[in-house]
Amino acid sequence: AQTVTQSQPEMSVQEAETVTLSCTYDTSESNYYLFWYKQPPSRQMILVIRQEAYKQQNATENRFSVNFQKAAKSFSLKISDSQLGDTAMYFCALSNNNDMRFGAGTRLTVKP
Amino acid sequence: SQTIHQWPATLVQPVGSPLSLECTVEGTSNPNLYWYRQAAGRGLQLLFYSVGIGQISSEVPQNLSASRPQDRQFILSSKKLLLSDSGFYLCAWSVGTGNYGYTFGSGTRLTVV
């Protein structure tokens, strides 16, 4: 079975600062995909970033980047230059063949 | 472009009443479709997924069922709602097995009273 663990229920960061959200996972598959989703107060799930497990290079999307440590089964999200609009729930997810599992989420608050 | 529609946005139903939530996808063919439930303050739990018309896989045995009568239509149903069915229900679609991620609908908040 695939599992995803997010150990930080809540975090806060000052506007313009950098914050890192943690995620660990467990899977017996060798080929899988990792994602970070953002869920703002509107509840709409928005894909933030995607990482292919067979690629060693960490994915980057503008101010969002990941630190993917395959051996440690760790997949953290770094948000640089935090903005008020980044305030949301962030979910880490692991996907393999129609089976996408989500962590419990981290509630991030960006303070002005 | 592809869009996903989910309705209703909110629903308040009495215990024991039936349920029907609908999800449709536009702009693509043969999508994989998913129903997730999100309990308050929790992550998403996969309920059902479908890879084609009439093909439903259930992840969690419970009071709910799903159907896919048309290629781009996915329906979540219940004959008799329980209080524990309350939650936020999300429909999603993907190309193939979802390795490029899922696209989610805007969700339905269901409150069973």
Side-chain angles (χ1 to χ4, degrees), chain A residues 33 35 37 39 42-45 47 50 52 91 95-104, chain B residues 32 34 36 38 42-44 49 51 59 88 96-102 104-106 109:
Chain A
Y33 299 81
F35 305 87
Y37 280 87
Q39 188 180 43
S42 67
R43 304 299 295 270
Q44 179 75 50
M45 292 286 284
L47 177 62
R50 168 183 176 270
E52 299 172 5
F91 292 97
S95 178
N96 176 264
N97 279 338
N98 291 311
D99 186 4
M100 183 176 287
R101 303 287 169 161
F102 289 81
Chain B
N32 283 10
Y34 310 86
Y36 280 86
Q38 183 179 19
R42 303 287 298 276
L44 280 68
Y49 72 90
V51 299
E59 289 295 310
F88 189 64
T97 56
N99 294 333
Y100 288 90
Y102 296 175
F104 286 84
S106 54
R109 175 171 297 284

